[in-house]
Amino acid sequence: MTTAQQLADRYAALWMEADPGRRRKAIEELWGEDAVHVLHPPVEIREVAARVGFDESTLEARGYHALEVRVSRAHEEFVAPGEFTFRARQDAVRLKNVVKFTWEMVPTSGGEPVGGGLEFVVLGIDGRITADHQFPGL
C-alpha cells in the first residue's frame, strides 16, 4: 500500500515529467480512467466569471485525455522553461480513502515558494485517484 506521502510525492513528480509518454503512463497509474481533477480557479478567473453571472466557477478535467492536457499545459507553462519546479510538502495525511497534502512551486534557482496549493484526493478501491480537488494559493 502506498503511503499518503508517497502518493503526494508521486503526484508532484508527475507535473515535473518532461517525457510525454512517461507523463501519460504516470497519469494512468495515479488516476482512475474516469477520474476528475477539479480546480478552484484563481481569484482573477472567479472575478471574471462573477461579472458575467456565474456565482460559482470551477474548472474540471475528466478522463485520461483531459488530465493529460491539463498536466501537459501546466508543465509547458511553469516547468519546461526551466524557471520553476513543483514539490510536495511533507504534510500528507490519509483518512480512509481521502488524502490531503500541500504542494509548492519554487524557483529552480532556489528561494522561497512563489505558489502552491492544497490538494484533496479521493481514492478508489484500486488505490488510484477518482476525484482530485485542487485549491491553489498558499
Side-chain angles (χ1 to χ4, degrees):
M1 175 188 278
T2 302
T3 69
Q5 192 60 53
Q6 288 169 330
L7 177 74
D9 292 340
R10 286 176 50 214
Y11 184 97
L14 163 69
W15 300 80
M16 299 292 302
E17 179 55 62
D19 180 84
R22 287 195 301 261
R23 187 182 310 132
R24 173 63 184 237
K25 184 176 187 316
I27 287 168
E28 292 176 4
E29 290 172 351
L30 275 173
W31 277 286
E33 189 172 353
D34 193 39
V36 63
H37 172 75
V38 182
L39 173 69
H40 185 250
V43 171
E44 303 83 28
I45 293 175
R46 293 194 314 265
E47 288 172 349
V48 169
R51 282 197 300 269
V52 294
F54 292 96
D55 294 332
E56 292 187 33
S57 57
T58 57
L59 305 174
E60 286 189 17
R62 180 179 297 278
Y64 290 149
H65 176 73
L67 289 166
E68 185 175 11
V69 169
R70 166 78 177 109
V71 174
S72 296
R73 291 209 176 131
H75 182 273
E76 290 165 8
E77 182 175 348
F78 300 111
V79 178
E83 217 174 317
F84 300 105
T85 185
F86 291 108
R87 67 182 180 209
R89 295 174 94 184
Q90 298 298 302
D91 62 357
V93 294
R94 182 174 181 162
L95 179 61
K96 295 202 177 242
N97 68 331
V98 176
V99 176
K100 174 189 77 91
F101 61 93
T102 55
W103 52 271
E104 301 173 320
M105 184 173 77
V106 296
T108 54
S109 60
E112 295 298 311
V114 296
L118 172 66
E119 214 75 29
F120 286 95
V121 298
V122 179
L123 304 177
I125 295 282
D126 63 1
R128 293 185 299 161
I129 298 168
T130 60
D132 173 3
H133 303 276
Q134 187 176 83
F135 299 86
L138 281 180

